[in-house]
Amino acid sequence: MNPAYPFSAVVGLADLKLALVLNAVSSRVGGVLVRGEKGTAKSTIVRALAAQLPRVAVVAGCRFHCDPGAPDPGCPDGPHETTAAGGADAAGALRAASLVELPVGASEDRLVGSLDLERALTEGVKAFEPGLLAAAHRGVLYVDEVNLLHDHLVDLLLDAAALGVCYVERETVSVRHAARFLLVGTMNPEEGELRPQLLDRFGLTVEVRATREPDERAEVVRRRFAFDADPEGFAARWAAEEAVLAARIARARAALGSVRLPDSRLRQITAVCAGFEVDGLRADLVTAHAAVAHAAWQGRDVVTREDVRVAARLALPHRRRRDPFDAPGLDERLLDELLDQTEPAAPDDPDNPESPEDPESPGDPDDSGGSGGSGGSDGSGAGDGAPAAPESAPEGAPDGAPDGAPDGAPKGGAEGAPDGAAGPSEGSGTGTGSGTGSGDRPQDVAAAGAPFRVPVLKVAGVGAGVAGRRSSGRGRHGRTIGARVPTGAGPAGIDLPATLLAAAPHQLRRGRRGPGLVLRRDDLREPVREGREGNLVLFVVDASGSMGARRRMTAVKTAVLSLLLDAYQRRDKIGLVVFRGAGATVALPPTSSVEAGAARLRALPTGGRTPLAEGLATAAEVLRVERLRDPDRRPLLVVVTDGRATSGGDVTRAAAALAGVTSVVVDCESGPVRLGMAQALALRLGARVLPLESLGDLVRDRRKAG
């Protein structure tokens, strides 16, 4: 097997390196969530870290990797005898820290383990098959694309990470085992965000972007070529730096228990968390643990202001979100103000043993690169490589390097655009390109108001799509409404009563000779569950001149933004088609990133003719392609228009292509005299009609109700 790419050889990614190292030093920090665009070496550096973790002693033959010096008293493979800690003997062996990767398509049984029901029923034993959480104990659990993992799996994962214990409950049999690991999740925000509750469960977060510096990018490619050509030789050239890093992590771990957190620094941490108005107290705990870990990493025995600042920069950005459409970020000027306000008055106070300059620090962190970057880079290195020079590798991670972009600045991609504004690329990506023919004079971009609650829109019938919170669906979750013979490679859980009833009539013929039942695979029955599924909500928005009055378009954008928020809360995919001028464009292909949809909507200009038929035809094509990609996800079409069609093809024919699609027409027609064109369109589509002005009145605004 080829060696992993060396951690020290990764170009840039300073903040990410530091966050990973702090978690390697202290498991109490709570893991790392890595947010960034594709191709920024997120996976490479996580795999590289595992190779630098100290080797661990394990009980020989224990499937749960118990420590011989302090075995888990509840280990299913126990009880184990306690032996001398810190080494290997007849009862234990040394092995490398494990790196376990959780695939997006993993099942609950694969994650937490499963029970052998046949042995449990026939022999009366708890025959337990460990899952990935057991394999990751005392190592690293890596979840790529964690935002695409199903919510209930993320809940199980984070509960185990927080408690250090995995609980498995299956058909009246209960098993628990230790599950302490370094949790690392990576995600591309363009593919959808995590819920704020789940974001909060990650200790630290780092935003990474590829450097725009040509020389650094060239070094990334150069090192990757060298590694691919000769992995062993490349790893050997970085072996000295890797050994220094591993030794420093081991020293910091050993010193962690002796690091003191003065009460003045603890009050400073809590004041900073309160100043940023973060919810709950997890931020205070994580920041304190991270500050202690950073002090140990720097060789200090007392936490200083710089340790607090570094910890806050990594622990607070993802806890600052006040709206699901907000991008994580931290105002570093406010952070420094809060630190200044809470700085102990007397520099010579024994609770404030600050040193003017940390000899191990590479310099003033405010002079270092951007988030995940190094030196003066605006980004974080990228691809598969690392620090600009070998000697700058592990020690070179700037302690407390500021986030690369100021608070509120775009982080790259549509979701980073500030409210009510758009960058140059977004202006061209909103579907206006097809509407620049003669007579098209786009108006100024109208701002959207605060979103409000909207009525629940559902797809009729019962589907079989991914679990969500909108329409009725059958799958692995929900209330049990029956049982059936397993239809897949394995049962989606076991319906115990139905399994027993299927086996009971055959016991005499099978020669049963005891209290247990004689079970066979064809006796197994899986439950049929009915719950909720997520849908594809495709918005078709009229941005033509007939919608161009600023006040009216503001109302339209606010309504659509409210529907987007509803889609976010119900775990839907969303897409956005815009028609105006000479045609229609897909402003946002179907995606789980509702934030991207909100950014494109806010930047949407208006003006020109009204090619309604083209908008419907484009929507039909989007749904056709998406049906091929994800046949189980049912669509919900939301057409926002006044129903006018001043150019383009035949609306009736275009509407016929959408037959069978559950549709809603949001009628934007206003004024004392109404032509009812949107209602006529709804008849062609077989759609429900919702007047624009009624959306905010059907359900009282949550903010006003509070």
Side-chain angles (χ1 to χ4, degrees):
M1 177 182 291
N2 288 336
Y5 193 96
F7 187 90
S8 305
V10 178
V11 177
L13 300 179
D15 277 1
L16 177 53
K17 288 178 180 178
L18 182 59
L20 291 171
V21 164
L22 294 183
N23 274 272
V25 170
S26 172
S27 61
R28 293 179 178 272
V29 173
V32 184
L33 176 64
V34 188
R35 297 165 45 88
E37 58 197 18
K38 52 188 176 292
T40 48
K42 299 187 296 291
S43 302
T44 297
I45 195 169
V46 172
R47 296 186 178 100
L49 175 70
Q52 303 311 310
L53 297 180
R55 296 170 66 85
V56 295
V58 298
V59 174
C62 177
R63 298 173 298 166
F64 300 87
H65 310 143
C66 283
D67 183 353
D72 176 17
C75 177
D77 284 356
H80 305 301
E81 293 184 3
T82 302
T83 62
D89 55 22
L94 283 173
R95 67 163 179 79
S98 58
L99 170 65
V100 176
E101 298 188 34
L102 176 63
V104 171
S107 65
E108 182 177 338
D109 286 347
R110 186 72 185 98
L111 177 64
V112 302
S114 59
L115 295 171
D116 188 336
L117 277 181
E118 184 170 348
R119 289 191 62 196
L121 293 172
T122 59
E123 302 175 29
V125 297
K126 298 179 181 179
F128 179 66
E129 182 65 29
L132 295 177
L133 292 182
H137 180 44
R138 305 176 68 201
V140 179
L141 181 60
Y142 171 48
V143 188
D144 194 14
E145 306 294 353
V146 65
N147 52 324
L148 302 183
L149 197 65
H150 193 275
D151 285 347
H152 87 283
L153 292 181
V154 178
D155 286 329
L156 290 171
L157 181 65
L158 295 177
D159 282 342
L163 299 174
V165 179
C166 175
Y167 293 93
V168 185
E169 304 290 342
R170 291 289 187 279
E171 288 75 35
T172 74
V173 182
S174 176
V175 174
R176 61 160 297 281
H177 65 81
R180 293 184 295 276
F181 45 82
L182 194 170
L183 175 63
V184 183
T186 61
M187 59 175 284
N188 183 350
E190 293 179 357
E191 296 173 341
E193 280 285 1
L194 280 171
R195 286 183 287 149
Q197 299 93 322
L198 299 182
L199 276 174
D200 183 57
R201 300 295 292 276
F202 281 94
L204 310 179
T205 187
V206 177
E207 192 92 14
V208 297
R209 291 182 297 165
T211 177
R212 300 298 186 260
E213 172 56 46
D215 290 342
E216 288 192 22
R217 296 173 77 98
E219 182 63 17
V220 171
V221 176
R222 191 177 298 116
R223 294 185 187 184
R224 188 69 218 191
F225 273 24
F227 176 78
D228 291 341
D230 182 11
E232 290 81 6
F234 186 85
R237 290 194 293 275
W238 288 86
E241 286 77 10
E242 295 290 88
V244 170
L245 173 63
R248 189 176 174 190
I249 291 175
R251 288 198 305 270
R253 278 188 170 187
L256 188 67
S258 61
V259 175
R260 187 165 60 92
L261 176 63
D263 191 64
S264 59
R265 293 300 169 199
L266 177 58
R267 290 195 301 270
Q268 190 172 47
I269 289 171
T270 56
V272 167
C273 293
F276 277 108
E277 300 181 348
V278 297
D279 295 330
L281 293 173
R282 185 175 283 114
D284 307 62
L285 291 167
V286 169
T287 305
H289 285 306
V292 171
H294 188 262
W297 172 247
Q298 292 297 327
R300 292 189 279 264
D301 58 3
V302 179
V303 172
T304 66
R305 171 195 169 109
E306 185 57 32
D307 299 321
V308 174
R309 187 180 192 279
V310 169
R313 285 189 52 261
L314 297 174
L316 299 185
H318 59 304
R319 296 182 167 93
R320 288 271 297 135
R321 298 180 74 189
R322 284 290 171 266
D323 186 284
F325 301 138
D326 292 340
L330 193 71
D331 186 343
E332 295 204 28
R333 288 172 297 183
L334 175 58
L335 173 60
D336 288 330
E337 289 175 7
L338 292 170
L339 290 171
D340 290 341
Q341 293 169 8
T342 56
E343 187 68 15
D348 56 350
D349 186 334
D351 275 353
N352 182 36
E354 299 259 3
S355 57
E357 184 79 18
D358 175 15
E360 290 196 71
S361 174
D364 184 353
D366 288 330
D367 293 334
S368 58
S371 171
S374 63
S377 167
D378 68 341
S380 61
D384 301 290
E391 54 272 309
S392 68
E395 260 86 306
D399 305 318
D403 203 310
D407 186 57
K411 299 288 185 183
E415 68 282 355
D419 293 355
S425 62
E426 284 197 318
S428 61
T430 57
T432 61
S434 62
T436 57
S438 60
D440 293 338
R441 301 184 62 183
Q443 299 178 4
D444 293 337
V445 176
F452 49 79
R453 295 189 65 180
V454 295
V456 180
L457 306 176
K458 298 181 180 181
V459 178
V462 179
V466 297
R469 299 184 179 181
R470 184 173 296 279
S471 306
S472 297
R474 290 179 183 168
R476 290 178 175 265
H477 309 283
R479 63 186 181 91
T480 301
I481 60 172
R484 65 186 177 192
V485 176
T487 56
I494 300 295
D495 188 297
L496 184 57
T499 298
L500 296 178
L501 288 173
H506 308 292
Q507 297 305 297
L508 191 59
R509 178 169 54 83
R510 294 175 182 174
R512 174 185 170 190
R513 296 290 187 272
L517 293 178
V518 179
L519 291 180
R520 294 180 179 173
R521 178 163 292 276
D522 56 5
D523 296 328
L524 296 180
R525 298 292 184 271
E526 65 180 9
V528 177
R529 297 186 176 100
E530 184 170 309
R532 296 289 176 185
E533 67 172 3
N535 298 114
L536 166 61
V537 183
L538 181 62
F539 294 92
V540 182
V541 179
D542 183 349
S544 65
S546 65
M547 303 283 287
R550 172 171 290 274
R551 183 175 178 182
R552 186 175 176 192
M553 199 61 197
T554 294
V556 169
K557 286 189 175 184
T558 302
V560 178
L561 192 67
S562 303
L563 291 166
L564 279 171
L565 177 59
D566 180 68
Y568 167 86
Q569 294 169 337
R570 299 184 186 280
R571 309 291 175 262
D572 295 315
K573 290 180 71 173
I574 61 108
L576 178 62
V577 172
V578 176
F579 61 94
R580 59 174 293 274
T585 55
V586 181
L588 185 71
T591 176
S592 297
S593 178
V594 181
E595 295 81 1
R600 300 290 173 90
L601 177 72
R602 289 182 176 118
L604 182 65
T606 59
R609 298 182 292 267
T610 312
L612 176 58
E614 279 68 18
L616 298 178
T618 302
E621 178 62 17
V622 170
L623 295 181
R624 184 190 69 80
V625 173
E626 192 64 19
R627 194 175 295 116
L628 296 175
R629 294 175 178 169
D630 191 357
D632 291 331
R633 190 183 289 268
R634 298 187 296 162
L636 172 64
L637 183 69
V638 179
V639 184
V640 184
T641 181
D642 59 7
R644 297 175 185 269
T646 61
S647 69
D650 186 350
V651 174
T652 300
R653 178 179 298 178
L658 293 165
V661 176
T662 301
S663 304
V664 175
V665 174
V666 178
D667 185 358
C668 300
E669 191 173 19
S670 60
V673 179
R674 304 195 180 193
L675 303 178
M677 294 182 178
Q679 294 187 7
L681 174 63
L683 288 175
R684 295 189 183 102
L685 293 172
R688 175 184 177 184
V689 180
L690 289 176
L692 175 64
E693 61 271 15
S694 73
L695 283 178
D697 297 332
L698 291 174
V699 180
R700 180 179 296 179
D701 188 341
R702 177 170 48 198
R703 294 181 175 85
K704 292 180 180 178

